[in-house]
Amino acid sequence: MIYFWITFNSIPFISLFLTQILLASHIPVYKKKIYFLSYLYYFINTNALCLFFSHSGYIQDTNDFRMIPIIYYTIIFEGIFYTWHRISHLPYFYKYLHAHHHVNYHVCPIDFIDVNYTDSLGFHICMHLPLKIIPLNFLEYLTWYFVMITSGFLLHSTILGEHHILHHKHFHSNYYILLTNFNIILQKNK
Ligand SMILES: [Zn+2]
Ligand SMILES: [Zn+2]
């Protein structure tokens, strides 16, 4: 279990390191800004939720590795996240939930975790809630988590396409994370 938590909490740093390599060293992943609170919120929320779901038996202690549940998990996550993201853009909630993240008009990878406490909590609930429908084991969960966190950083660059960059510029389209084609269709139809 201790190895799981060490790996789990190392993932954002490994993901940022990979992002920096993929973007080439001359493109910074950070802005001149203090990110202490962003990291604090991130680790408090992700550890609390992961602890809750692992203790509730939704993260299983088995050793096999299955791709199909991970694919289902991703689709369910995208649906939950899309709903949360749409709600956080409603005028009544926007100021309290999501405005902090959208202060970043010109984004860089670290902006992925530059959110206020409530937005961070909402995001991590979206990340863990699919466990109630599709339980994963520790290895499957770590793999999925690594892919999603790395994607989150990369989406705040142009390396995986521009749909999230466009979301930061236009606000009212491209609410998904990985469903890129659907995002771009939404952008074009706007
Ligand atoms: Zn948004
Ligand atoms: Zn963003």
Side-chain angles (χ1 to χ4, degrees):
M1 196 65 182
I2 186 72
Y3 295 114
F4 170 80
W5 287 106
I6 291 170
T7 313
F8 184 68
N9 284 293
S10 304
I11 280 176
F13 301 110
I14 297 167
S15 296
L16 265 176
F17 180 67
L18 278 176
T19 302
Q20 182 73 81
I21 291 171
L22 288 167
L23 290 177
S25 54
H26 59 278
I27 301 172
V29 292
Y30 287 95
K31 289 174 183 165
K32 281 185 183 158
K33 204 164 153 181
I34 295 169
Y35 292 94
F36 175 74
L37 281 179
S38 302
Y39 274 111
L40 185 68
Y41 298 159
Y42 178 99
F43 285 113
I44 287 174
N45 287 325
T46 201
N47 279 284
L49 282 154
C50 193
L51 192 67
F52 173 75
F53 279 93
S54 60
H55 272 251
S56 305
Y58 295 111
I59 305 179
Q60 299 163 342
D61 198 4
T62 55
N63 291 321
D64 48 337
F65 186 85
R66 309 154 301 159
M67 271 313 291
I68 301 294
I70 294 178
I71 293 167
Y72 286 147
Y73 194 96
T74 308
I75 294 167
I76 293 166
F77 162 74
E78 286 281 7
I80 295 172
F81 178 74
Y82 177 88
T83 310
W84 163 255
H85 199 178
R86 289 302 295 244
I87 291 169
S88 68
H89 271 259
L90 293 174
Y92 185 77
F93 299 112
Y94 182 74
K95 186 176 150 194
Y96 305 105
L97 293 180
H98 201 44
H100 182 109
H101 186 59
H102 276 283
V103 163
N104 300 293
Y105 186 77
H106 298 289
V107 294
C108 69
I110 191 66
D111 291 332
F112 171 53
I113 64 163
D114 190 16
V115 293
N116 70 13
Y117 181 80
T118 345
D119 206 0
S120 170
L121 180 64
F123 177 75
H124 290 289
I125 289 173
C126 295
M127 291 279 280
H128 290 82
L129 212 51
L131 285 167
K132 283 215 164 235
I133 304 165
I134 313 276
L136 301 176
N137 67 31
F138 286 111
L139 181 60
E140 291 161 347
Y141 187 72
L142 282 178
T143 307
W144 183 83
Y145 192 77
F146 171 70
V147 171
M148 292 309 295
I149 296 300
T150 308
S151 304
F153 288 125
L154 291 175
L155 283 173
H156 290 81
S157 73
T158 53
I159 209 162
L160 290 183
E162 294 193 23
H163 66 276
H164 194 71
I165 306 274
L166 289 170
H167 175 73
H168 275 266
K169 289 198 163 43
H170 300 289
F171 296 97
H172 300 299
S173 58
N174 299 0
Y175 293 94
Y176 287 108
I177 285 197
L178 287 183
L179 295 177
T180 312
N181 290 332
F182 195 46
N183 276 309
I184 286 171
I185 289 165
L186 285 172
Q187 177 63 34
K188 283 179 180 164
N189 287 342
K190 188 173 169 273

